[in-house]
Amino acid sequence: TGDGKLVLEAYYTRNKVQVTINGEKEEKYYGETIDKPADPPADPGYEFDKWVDENGDEVKWPVTVGTEDIVIEPEFKKLPRTVTYKYVGAPSGYDAPAAKIAYIEDPIELPTLPTVEGYTISDWVITDANGDAITDGKVGTTDVTVTATWTLNAYKVTLDLDGGEAAISSIAKNYGETLHADELPDVVKAGYDHLGWTVDGADATFPMTIKGDVILKAKLALHNYSITYAFSGNKPASVDVPAAT
């Protein structure tokens, strides 16, 4: 200057840092504040939980820009899904396992099915809330239903007619059903009387509860015929002669 004095002026430029929020990048000046953004949309099966920094710590809003770059990402949590177990056709006293809570991508637990006399039980069938099959064994974006179907075993009552004839030769019954004597046909065989039925060599008794395939054999006996003889001048005499004699 004219008076011989030197004047120095200092100029400062505020530092800029890069701020990345949910993949979107922008520059911010040192000391600026960043307000909390709107919650981002979540994929099916998830919901937004919180914003976290690069260390995984929850962000406290508003954020004041410092000297270091800032990275903030959304963190999502899995939504709980209900896995419901169902028995179809099960007898009284057999209840399906209790429902469970699971999350997307969790393996679906398949409890061991019981073994019950007289029933065939299907493998578990897994479906989502829309009724579509789940084939990878994992929870998806909806609730899950796991179903086992119970079917009464069907059995056959075979009638061994022992060479005779009858209107039917077998009867279909389900496990636990009752076979009554009046359901069985009369057996006709020339020279024989039909006296009933046997099972495993012993006389069958009715009503009979069916618990498996059964073979009933007709109980046939030779018919007795009466032959009367007439003698001239003498009293007639008679004798019983079995058939085929």
Side-chain angles (χ1 to χ4, degrees):
T1 62
D3 59 3
K5 294 180 180 179
L6 178 65
V7 178
L8 298 177
E9 293 183 355
Y11 294 90
Y12 296 90
T13 300
R14 282 199 296 173
N15 291 335
K16 287 183 177 181
V17 300
Q18 182 169 273
V19 177
T20 304
I21 299 178
N22 197 18
E24 298 291 330
K25 297 180 180 180
E26 64 175 322
E27 290 186 333
K28 293 284 187 181
Y29 285 106
Y30 174 87
E32 280 192 84
T33 58
I34 305 170
D35 293 326
K36 181 182 178 181
D39 294 345
D43 291 335
Y46 294 84
E47 67 177 354
F48 173 76
D49 185 23
K50 59 189 174 183
W51 294 99
V52 296
D53 61 22
E54 61 267 34
N55 298 316
D57 297 324
E58 185 173 0
V59 174
K60 306 299 182 183
W61 301 97
V63 174
T64 300
V65 176
T67 58
E68 302 290 335
D69 290 343
I70 297 173
V71 177
I72 298 174
E73 295 292 341
E75 186 170 275
F76 299 88
K77 63 181 179 180
K78 296 178 178 181
L79 290 170
R81 299 302 182 197
T82 301
V83 180
T84 302
Y85 297 90
K86 290 175 58 179
Y87 283 162
V88 176
S92 176
Y94 288 90
D95 297 323
K100 296 180 179 293
I101 297 299
Y103 297 87
I104 189 169
E105 296 299 319
D106 283 356
I108 298 170
E109 184 178 340
L110 299 179
T112 301
L113 288 164
T115 299
V116 180
E117 183 183 59
Y119 284 84
T120 297
I121 305 173
S122 72
D123 290 334
W124 290 112
V125 175
I126 311 170
T127 54
D128 63 18
N130 300 313
D132 297 324
I134 296 175
T135 58
D136 64 359
K138 295 181 180 179
V139 175
T141 59
T142 72
D143 291 338
V144 176
T145 300
V146 186
T147 305
T149 301
W150 297 49
T151 305
L152 267 175
N153 291 339
Y155 295 111
K156 183 179 182 181
V157 180
T158 300
L159 305 179
D160 179 352
L161 304 179
D162 195 19
E165 296 180 350
I168 58 174
S169 60
S170 65
I171 298 174
K173 289 285 185 181
N174 289 330
Y175 174 86
E177 289 186 330
T178 301
L179 177 66
H180 297 274
D182 59 9
E183 297 179 73
L184 299 170
D186 290 327
V187 179
V188 177
K189 183 177 181 181
Y192 288 82
D193 294 324
H194 181 204
L195 305 181
W197 299 89
T198 64
V199 59
D200 296 330
D203 287 342
T205 57
F206 301 96
M208 177 185 294
T209 301
I210 301 303
K211 294 186 176 181
D213 291 330
V214 178
I215 298 176
L216 292 178
K217 185 174 182 179
K219 186 176 182 180
L220 302 177
L222 284 168
H223 182 77
N224 285 330
Y225 292 93
S226 179
I227 300 176
T228 301
Y229 298 91
F231 297 95
S232 179
N234 295 304
K235 279 178 114 181
S238 64
V239 62
D240 291 333
V241 180
T245 299

